[in-house]
Amino acid sequence: MRAEILLPLLIVEDSDADFCTLTRMLKKANLTRAIYRCEDGEEALDFLLHQEEYQDRSLAPRPALIILDLNLPGTDGREVLIELKQNPDLQSIPVVIFSTSDNPRDVAECYRCGVSSYISKPMNMELLNQLAETFVQYWLDTVQLPVSSHAN
């Protein structure tokens, strides 16, 4: 693995079980990045735009990568994705959809809106483990993520 600045990872996931499973798998795959969590779309936008409880930028550093669930309460993942990709300060952050939906219309719409990758959550724990390892190897070991001049 090449030397790099280990910028944080933001996971936007309302399910405690899915968040715990995902973070456990990421840590098992030797993830050394800080992980931040937002439980709904409004909180994710506040985090990224430094609003409400996240006005202190030290509480909400700019993520190197966002893992976004589609089916969130309130402002859903689709709306968050659109807002991110329309914001010049945030649009370069790669976004990976991690959703139970494998609906071709959801997949097509997310790519049309600028998602970097779309992954359907497997229900099988062994497949989820394999997916997490592949995800970490590709997104966090192989890909060079953007470092913005806006990084905290």
Side-chain angles (χ1 to χ4, degrees):
M1 183 164 81
R2 68 181 176 277
E4 64 177 303
I5 300 169
L6 295 178
L7 297 174
L9 176 68
L10 175 62
I11 300 175
V12 185
E13 175 61 68
D14 62 316
S15 165
D16 289 338
D18 286 352
F19 177 76
C20 288
T21 299
L22 185 57
T23 55
R24 185 174 53 249
M25 295 303 111
L26 291 171
K27 288 178 181 180
K28 184 177 178 184
N30 295 318
L31 176 74
T32 57
R33 294 170 186 264
I35 298 173
Y36 292 83
R37 179 189 185 189
C38 293
E39 295 184 25
D40 60 45
E42 290 91 359
E43 183 184 6
L45 291 172
D46 287 347
F47 182 99
L48 293 162
L49 298 170
H50 303 290
Q51 300 173 352
E52 300 296 328
E53 66 198 79
Y54 296 106
Q55 290 181 33
D56 178 350
R57 291 177 181 261
S58 68
L59 299 175
R62 181 185 175 87
L65 179 67
I66 299 169
I67 300 174
L68 178 63
D69 185 17
L70 277 188
N71 301 312
L72 299 167
T75 302
D76 73 8
R78 294 160 193 82
E79 295 171 273
V80 172
L81 177 62
I82 290 167
E83 185 89 19
L84 287 172
K85 294 306 177 181
Q86 290 178 350
N87 184 314
D89 292 333
L90 301 174
Q91 65 188 193
S92 67
I93 300 172
V95 177
V96 175
I97 298 295
F98 193 63
S99 178
T100 54
S101 173
D102 60 0
N103 183 322
R105 284 190 290 184
D106 285 339
V107 175
E109 178 67 13
C110 288
Y111 278 110
R112 189 186 68 72
C113 292
V115 76
S116 301
S117 185
Y118 191 109
I119 301 171
S120 296
K121 294 178 189 175
M123 295 298 134
N124 175 301
M125 188 57 76
E126 185 175 328
L127 291 176
L128 182 59
N129 287 338
Q130 291 172 359
L131 180 65
E133 287 179 27
T134 302
F135 175 89
V136 169
Q137 183 178 21
Y138 180 75
W139 281 105
L140 304 176
D141 288 343
T142 304
V143 170
Q144 185 169 347
L145 296 170
V147 177
S148 169
S149 60
H150 300 288
N152 297 325

